Amino acid sequence: MLEEVERWLATRSWSVADRPLHRVLAAKQRTGQSVSVVLPALNEEETVGDIVAAIRHDLVLQAPLVDEIVVVDSGSTDRTSEVAAAAGARVVHRDDILPRIPAVPGKGEVLWRSLLVTGGDIVCFVDADLKEFSSDFVLGIVGPLLTDPDVDLVKAMYDRPLAGAAGQGGRVTELMARPLLNMHWPQLAGFVQPLGGEYAARRSLLEQLPFPVGYGVELGMLVDALHLVGLDALAQVDVGVRRHRHQDGQALGRMAAAIYRTAQLRLARGHLVRPALTQFERGEDGFEPRTYSVDTEERPPMAEIAEYAARRVA
């Protein structure tokens, strides 16, 4: 590990307990910064309500840390929107945001569009499929941004159990993202959960970053932020344990392909000869190929979008 990374781990890796709520609230009052929490959601009726309710109870009603909770529904066919709204979130539908640019499927697409419908100086992203959720996730990653003006982006780190086994979650992280980062961006080798969906950043940074539309958004954001603001502006906070719905192996393969594509673009801004991934499923006549396109589109920095600039002027 690079000496720079060892130093970073000692100075930019914290625990949620390092910044008690009263200290974070005092920093928020002193700096006057506002906080938006965004949950990208697709068919998450079983979990989204509990997450919203916990944040609202602990960090809106009990302690005024969060100024708005926004659920961006990307086309759910279940009761995600109704459940989220009943729990106290403002629900916005992806296709209603920036309608002149047709939306494409993907998590990064939703996160990018969320910048247009939130107002916080600090934007905190939380996945909507978390189980046994604690508001410490939000407190932990927002805290450093309010108390330390030199920090621009904070990732959550946590244990990710799989089927009761500790440390076995995050398979795409270990098999794809971590090797890529260690080999090509060794300054980022200290991130425990580089692909984790819980992170917070200053709007002033997010609006300057391109957003891969799919699963590559977390890796792309880390790499681009490193180049834009430097390693010392990035940090991570231990928030305990993350439990969520795990995807099957083939879905993880498609995720890994999108992440590799995101890395490839940043390494050379080159082009794949064939941006597709073929996987196999056993059918009645043996193994049958299934080919999926790999996310190749990226949204430009939000600062370049006319509607966003107009909103800021207004």
Side-chain angles (χ1 to χ4, degrees):
M1 183 176 291
L2 296 177
E3 183 177 337
E4 179 184 8
V5 176
E6 292 182 352
R7 179 192 56 76
W8 179 85
L9 281 169
T11 60
R12 286 290 187 262
S13 291
W14 299 296
S15 165
V16 63
D18 291 335
R19 290 176 177 79
L21 178 58
H22 68 84
R23 180 184 167 195
V24 175
L25 288 173
K28 183 178 193 291
Q29 185 174 17
R30 183 176 65 253
T31 62
Q33 297 178 90
S34 54
V35 177
S36 299
V37 174
V38 172
L39 283 77
L42 178 62
N43 295 328
E44 304 293 357
E45 68 176 2
E46 294 184 3
T47 50
V48 68
D50 289 342
I51 298 171
V52 170
I55 297 171
R56 185 169 184 270
H57 176 270
D58 296 349
L59 302 179
V60 177
L61 301 178
Q62 295 291 106
L65 179 63
V66 171
D67 296 281
E68 62 175 348
I69 307 170
V70 179
V71 170
V72 182
D73 190 326
S74 58
S76 297
T77 56
D78 64 1
R79 298 182 61 253
T80 290
S81 291
E82 293 87 343
V83 170
R90 175 163 59 92
V91 177
V92 184
H93 293 273
R94 178 199 61 194
D95 294 351
D96 294 334
I97 307 170
L98 200 61
R100 75 171 175 86
I101 300 178
V104 297
K107 179 183 179 182
E109 177 83 353
V110 174
L111 301 185
W112 181 71
R113 290 175 186 264
S114 76
L115 296 182
L116 265 167
V117 293
T118 54
D121 302 301
I122 293 169
V123 182
C124 173
F125 298 118
V126 177
D127 282 350
D129 65 342
L130 302 188
K131 303 174 182 178
E132 302 176 34
F133 177 79
S134 167
S135 61
D136 279 352
F137 273 64
V138 174
L139 172 63
I141 55 181
V142 167
L145 294 164
L146 289 169
T147 61
D148 191 334
D150 295 326
V151 173
D152 287 329
L153 185 150
V154 182
K155 297 278 294 190
M157 57 177 168
Y158 31 63
D159 295 317
R160 295 184 67 181
L162 176 63
Q168 296 304 305
R171 290 162 287 173
V172 176
T173 292
E174 300 304 331
L175 297 175
M176 175 60 72
R178 200 176 308 285
L180 281 172
L181 292 176
N182 276 264
M183 288 186 291
H184 299 295
W185 297 280
Q187 287 177 294
L188 298 174
F191 276 94
V192 175
Q193 298 291 351
L195 300 185
E198 290 69 49
Y199 49 99
R202 300 191 190 281
R203 177 176 295 272
S204 57
L205 171 63
L206 293 172
E207 65 187 16
Q208 297 181 69
L209 299 177
F211 276 60
V213 298
Y215 285 121
V217 63
E218 275 85 22
L219 183 133
M221 189 176 296
L222 264 188
V223 171
D224 293 341
L226 174 68
H227 290 300
L228 193 63
V229 296
L231 182 60
D232 281 343
L234 313 180
Q236 60 185 352
V237 173
D238 187 348
V239 296
V241 180
R242 182 185 198 267
R243 293 181 173 85
H244 66 112
R245 182 188 67 252
H246 292 280
Q247 300 193 57
D248 62 39
Q250 292 207 330
L252 296 179
R254 297 191 289 275
M255 186 186 301
I259 290 165
Y260 179 78
R261 170 61 170 172
T262 300
Q264 184 206 36
L265 285 172
R266 279 150 182 78
L267 285 168
R269 295 295 167 181
H271 300 280
L272 284 174
V273 174
R274 183 173 177 269
L277 175 72
T278 298
Q279 297 176 319
F280 293 87
E281 298 178 7
R282 185 181 289 279
E284 293 181 0
D285 299 320
F287 285 103
E288 300 174 354
R290 299 284 188 272
T291 299
Y292 302 88
S293 61
V294 174
D295 293 322
T296 59
E297 188 170 356
E298 297 199 4
R299 295 304 192 189
M302 187 57 78
E304 298 177 6
I305 299 298
E307 288 89 339
Y308 186 78
R311 190 193 73 158
R312 296 187 67 185
V313 170

